[in-house]
Amino acid sequence: MSPVHVLIPAAGSGRRMGADRNKVLLDLLGQPIIAWTLKAAAQAKAVVWIGVICQAGDRPTLETIAKSLHLSKPVAFIDGGTTRQESVYNGLQSLPAQATHVLIHDGARCLATPDLFDRCAAALDTCPGLVAAVPVKDTIKVVDANQRVETTPDRQQLWAAQTPQGFDVALLKQCHQQGIEQGWSVTDDAALFEKCNLSVQVVPGEETNLKVTTPMDLAIAEFILKQRLS
């Protein structure tokens, strides 16, 4: 299992949470959401370095949180952009020169386990790009602008993408550069890989690896953590 560097986009806001601050700073069982994310990443055997991508206004608070955790891996802080895509691009430019493999993991996915990070890192030894994902349970409907159903795709072919997403650093940098030149706008890095006709492997994710976006998500995350800690 090759060593991996981790980038954690945490430059968002609390808009959908109805909060007055970045959602990763909200409390979850006595610690900020981002603290749980950082601890999981730092506990993974393959992880050697963590970069937190954030807005300048949040940086002092995030630095204080990271310092209080006494993590075993070095943590750097990187200025975020106006979009997630820009933020990850900034993060890639700030990776240490020796970085060959990178895992990108949303700061708000605070329930990912160290084992998931390590399984994704191990998979990068045999593929250039990957995404943690879980099979979709619900029947999915494709609808038009008038809310009419157009098609019902085969559920067996549908997976819900999570993070970490992992990549060969040089290839992902090339994909981001091409994305800038072509004006592509994507919601995750795997989509950039796909647009560049590069292979993306699915690594089985975790059902509990939810992204905390709404107050309901926060309540579910609290329930899951209480079960783990009991």
Side-chain angles (χ1 to χ4, degrees), residues 15-227:
R15 180 173 49 84
R16 281 184 288 180
M17 184 67 75
D20 59 355
R21 55 193 155 147
N22 190 332
K23 62 190 173 189
V24 302
L25 301 178
L26 297 176
D27 181 82
L28 176 58
L29 285 190
Q31 295 190 70
I33 287 172
I34 192 67
W36 296 99
T37 310
L38 287 169
K39 286 190 292 184
Q43 288 166 11
K45 296 180 179 68
V47 172
V48 296
W49 179 94
I50 300 168
V52 179
I53 309 168
C54 59
Q55 300 297 347
D58 290 333
R59 183 166 179 163
T61 303
L62 288 165
E63 287 178 338
T64 299
I65 292 168
K67 187 176 180 180
S68 73
L69 296 174
H70 304 289
L71 301 173
S72 60
K73 312 292 170 65
V75 181
F77 294 86
I78 303 156
D79 290 338
T82 57
T83 64
R84 185 185 189 280
Q85 191 171 336
E86 285 183 17
S87 291
V88 174
Y89 177 85
N90 291 352
L92 289 171
Q93 309 315 308
S94 301
L95 286 172
Q98 70 271 24
T100 57
H101 297 89
V102 63
L103 294 179
I104 299 166
H105 183 67
D106 292 333
R109 285 193 187 271
C110 53
L111 301 178
T113 65
D115 177 68
L116 180 57
F117 282 94
D118 281 332
R119 287 193 289 109
C120 289
L124 276 179
D125 286 338
T126 58
C127 68
L130 63 85
V131 53
V134 293
V136 168
K137 295 190 184 74
D138 298 322
T139 296
I140 304 297
K141 302 290 184 181
V142 178
V143 301
D144 63 18
N146 297 312
Q147 306 298 300
R148 285 192 292 263
V149 173
E150 292 183 335
T151 59
T152 303
D154 181 359
R155 188 170 63 191
Q156 291 186 336
Q157 292 184 291
L158 298 175
W159 289 62
Q162 303 180 338
T163 64
Q165 297 188 1
F167 305 93
D168 174 276
V169 169
L171 285 176
L172 186 58
K173 283 183 175 181
Q174 291 173 18
C175 291
H176 268 270
Q177 192 59 45
Q178 190 168 341
I180 291 171
E181 294 168 1
Q182 300 292 333
W184 293 335
S185 178
V186 297
T187 55
D188 71 359
D189 297 278
L192 275 178
F193 242 54
E194 294 159 30
K195 279 182 170 289
C196 292
N197 297 314
L198 292 168
S199 174
V200 179
Q201 180 71 35
V202 164
V203 172
E206 296 170 335
E207 294 289 347
T208 54
N209 183 22
L210 67 105
K211 186 176 183 180
V212 178
T213 304
T214 67
M216 180 60 74
D217 296 332
L218 190 60
I220 294 170
E222 183 173 318
F223 174 79
I224 293 169
L225 276 177
K226 283 181 176 177
Q227 297 298 308

